[in-house]
Amino acid sequence: MNIREATDQIEGAVRAYLSRDEHGIYRIPSRMQRPIIMMGPPGVGKTAIAAQIADELGINFVSYSITHHTRQSALGLPYIATAEFGGREYRVSRYTMSEIIAAVWDAIEATGVREGILFLDEVNCASETLMPSMLQFLQYKTFGQHRLPEGWVIVCAGNPPEYNRAAREFDPAMMDRLKRIDVEPDLDVWQDYAAAHGVHPAITTYLANKPQNFFRVRASGSGARIVTARGWEDLSRMISAYEREGLPVDGALIAQYLQDREVAEDFALYFELFAKYQDDYKVADILAGKTDEAVLARARAAEFDERVAVVNLLLAAVTGEVHAADAAEKALRATRDDIVAWKDELDGADPLASLDARLAAVRKQDADARARGVASEDRQLAGVVHAELLGRCRMAVARAVQEHAGTDPYEAAKSVFNDIVRETAASQTEAAARLDRALGFLGAAFGDGQEMLVFTSRVATDPVATRFIAAHGPASFAEHARALMFDERALDLLRRLEAMR
């Protein structure tokens, strides 16, 4: 199955494993919760699935690569203890707590959340000495004397032997104790993910034209030649960072991420062409409503690959702004809740000290989420903006306290918060207007053709964009989607939009 289907299957299993009855007892006992194992080629996104699900469910996420462990680190170190059996005292062997189990307890202590996902990568590549203990853990959820806490779901990932010489097949009896999900690369699904996660438009455009180069794992005389979804996404981040810093993106950089010479050279040549498209089409002007007739004429006369480039340039710019607006709205709501709660604490309390404590808690929560590496980029952005907004309110309160004796601290914070509300509303209105202008340009250049279909379907598969459009528009999106009537995802979006009017 593709990565989207695998995500749905695993999230459903985790929800079922963590569901409780009216007495608070897990509906599926821990001993009957089969560990989930994803099998698939490297770089397809298996680790990201587990982290994303943990983030969405608000539970802990602890990740380990089994190839980095010895039997001692996984099982614990032996020591001699004393025990009494049948009235006689004996010297017995015990084990210290497994590093992996200890990390689970560390996560519980750090977050106060007792449930989570323990992700074990490359589980079928464990060493000969570790494999028996690994199989025991998957079957009984114990390393030595130490059991995985109740409420923790084991999710594993492995590579089939054809992709990893260190990998081995589990025997049928062992597989009968696991919940196996086979994951395969799927470019169409990845393109939806790429549009929602800001993958560089040069990459999405190139792969639209050269789908055969999306995923390659093959042997050669000089070693493995590998191109994966992970490689494309990591390259995207590096290209964006290089562009921000004004650094040249060349073939040497590209080859560090696309480890197939043929693909790396081909993409390097294409990237030079795409850079020219970026310069020529002036996306910022299009989104600002300053469309040049010459640019519009060029788009109408362009070949297919150039048209796809235009679509992806607009898509990247618009979705980036929509995600930023969504994060700002989440931060605004969180700040409102903080200000309301802070107001209830003001009676007899130092207003600045109380607000400083809230601001410190927000910053710590944000730092902890980043340190654990489980929060999505959107959630991290919302956390940063939340701290910034609360900081603005704190500055207003400080001025009121220091410069205007007798001023109500809450009214000072409320005044600044109202300014923030107006700013946020204006940015949401502008983001919707820029999406409307992108649709207008595509309609003027290509009509409701394939280009509009690609743009609208990518937006429709982005849950953040869907939520934004349902709340803020523009109405032109629903009109184009209705005219296209292209697939169930768009129809579902239209139904939701209509229901929220």
Side-chain angles (χ1 to χ4, degrees):
M1 63 183 68
N2 62 47
I3 203 77
R4 181 188 293 130
E5 294 167 336
T7 301
D8 291 342
Q9 288 292 320
I10 295 170
E11 182 175 348
V14 173
R15 285 182 180 275
Y17 287 169
L18 299 183
S19 69
R20 300 171 184 257
D21 64 17
E22 62 275 15
H23 304 292
I25 300 171
Y26 287 109
R27 289 190 169 89
I28 302 176
S30 177
R31 69 180 185 279
M32 300 180 68
Q33 294 179 8
R34 291 190 176 196
I36 301 162
I37 182 166
M38 289 180 282
M39 297 296 291
V44 76
K46 299 186 291 294
T47 305
I49 286 178
Q52 173 189 326
I53 291 171
D55 182 46
E56 290 179 354
L57 297 182
I59 59 178
N60 290 301
F61 178 72
V62 172
S63 175
Y64 272 95
S65 176
I66 292 303
T67 55
H68 299 162
H69 277 278
T70 63
R71 182 176 182 275
Q72 288 73 26
S73 65
L75 187 62
L77 295 173
Y79 66 92
I80 303 299
T82 301
E84 186 175 305
F85 303 112
R88 296 184 59 184
E89 192 174 90
Y90 296 90
R91 303 287 299 280
V92 296
S93 296
R94 300 294 192 209
Y95 284 87
T96 59
M97 181 174 282
S98 158
E99 179 184 330
I100 295 173
I101 300 295
V104 167
W105 282 109
D106 285 342
I108 293 172
E109 291 295 322
T111 64
V113 177
R114 299 196 63 83
E115 297 176 328
I117 291 175
L118 173 60
F119 181 76
L120 302 175
D121 200 9
E122 298 183 306
V123 69
N124 62 334
C125 297
S127 65
E128 291 285 351
T129 56
L130 176 57
M131 184 57 79
S133 299
M134 193 70 250
L135 296 179
Q136 179 190 33
F137 179 69
L138 293 177
Q139 186 170 352
Y140 299 110
K141 300 182 174 63
T142 60
F143 272 130
Q145 300 166 279
H146 305 286
R147 177 176 292 277
L148 186 69
E150 190 179 43
W152 279 74
V153 178
I154 301 172
V155 179
C156 310
N159 302 139
E162 61 265 30
Y163 294 109
N164 191 328
R165 285 175 291 184
R168 69 196 76 193
E169 292 282 3
F170 290 146
D171 63 70
M174 187 65 229
M175 288 306 302
D176 190 44
R177 293 178 169 87
L178 303 176
K179 179 179 172 67
R180 175 168 176 156
I181 295 175
D182 291 300
V183 185
E184 295 293 337
D186 185 314
L187 177 57
D188 286 341
V189 171
W190 187 83
Q191 288 278 33
D192 289 341
Y193 168 89
H197 289 79
V199 171
H200 198 283
I203 291 174
T204 54
T205 305
Y206 173 79
L207 292 176
N209 293 313
K210 298 285 184 72
Q212 70 275 14
N213 291 342
F214 170 55
F215 196 94
R216 290 191 182 189
V217 179
R218 55 183 178 170
S220 70
S222 57
R225 301 167 67 182
I226 182 168
V227 176
T228 67
R230 177 171 54 211
W232 286 113
E233 186 170 7
D234 290 349
L235 175 60
S236 165
R237 294 179 185 276
M238 186 59 76
I239 289 174
S240 296
Y242 264 51
E243 288 179 336
R244 293 274 185 179
E245 296 297 321
L247 299 171
V249 176
D250 57 20
L253 175 69
I254 291 168
Q256 294 161 23
Y257 294 87
L258 309 180
Q259 297 175 35
D260 183 303
R261 182 176 178 180
E262 177 186 323
V263 176
E265 290 179 349
D266 193 49
F267 178 70
L269 290 172
Y270 179 78
F271 187 80
E272 293 179 7
L273 177 63
F274 187 86
K276 189 173 185 305
Y277 293 155
Q278 282 182 300
D279 292 338
D280 292 348
Y281 276 96
K282 300 179 178 62
V283 168
D285 286 348
I286 293 173
L287 297 183
K290 303 173 184 175
T291 304
D292 188 316
E293 281 300 322
V295 171
L296 197 56
R298 173 174 174 171
R300 290 183 182 126
E303 297 295 330
F304 175 75
D305 65 327
E306 186 172 334
R307 291 179 172 219
V308 174
V310 173
V311 170
N312 284 324
L313 280 166
L314 290 170
L315 187 63
V318 165
T319 53
E321 293 188 10
V322 166
H323 278 247
D326 182 76
E329 184 169 353
K330 288 179 179 175
L332 181 69
R333 291 174 180 170
T335 305
R336 176 199 60 198
D337 293 343
D338 280 327
I339 296 299
V340 170
W342 170 69
K343 180 186 178 184
D344 295 337
E345 299 170 355
L346 286 179
D347 188 19
D350 181 336
L352 275 179
S354 179
L355 195 53
D356 281 341
R358 286 195 167 273
L359 183 55
V362 169
R363 287 172 173 162
K364 183 179 185 304
Q365 184 180 36
D366 180 45
D368 288 347
R370 284 198 247 180
R372 293 196 307 274
V374 297
S376 66
E377 291 183 16
D378 285 347
R379 188 162 297 184
Q380 289 184 42
L381 177 58
V384 170
V385 177
H386 178 193
E388 291 174 352
L389 298 185
L390 197 56
R392 285 178 60 181
C393 293
R394 192 263 180 211
M395 290 175 62
V397 172
R399 284 196 300 269
V401 170
Q402 295 167 7
E403 301 173 10
H404 307 286
T407 301
D408 183 348
Y410 173 71
E411 289 300 323
K414 180 180 175 183
S415 176
V416 172
F417 180 78
N418 288 337
D419 290 341
I420 294 170
V421 170
R422 287 188 285 270
E423 293 167 10
T424 304
S427 68
Q428 291 168 337
T429 299
E430 179 58 19
R434 291 165 81 81
L435 172 56
D436 183 58
R437 292 168 194 145
L439 290 165
F441 178 86
L442 292 172
F446 313 121
D448 277 330
Q450 186 174 2
E451 296 79 13
M452 184 69 78
L453 168 64
V454 171
F455 183 90
T456 317
S457 62
R458 296 294 181 220
V459 172
T461 55
D462 179 352
V464 172
T466 300
R467 183 168 61 247
F468 179 87
I469 293 167
H472 307 290
S476 57
F477 182 86
E479 291 165 4
H480 283 289
R482 186 179 292 104
L484 291 167
M485 298 293 281
F486 48 86
D487 63 16
E488 280 302 314
R489 291 175 297 184
L491 294 176
D492 179 60
L493 172 62
L494 282 173
R495 284 190 288 268
R496 281 182 281 165
L497 288 173
E498 293 297 336
M500 300 179 79
R501 289 191 187 283

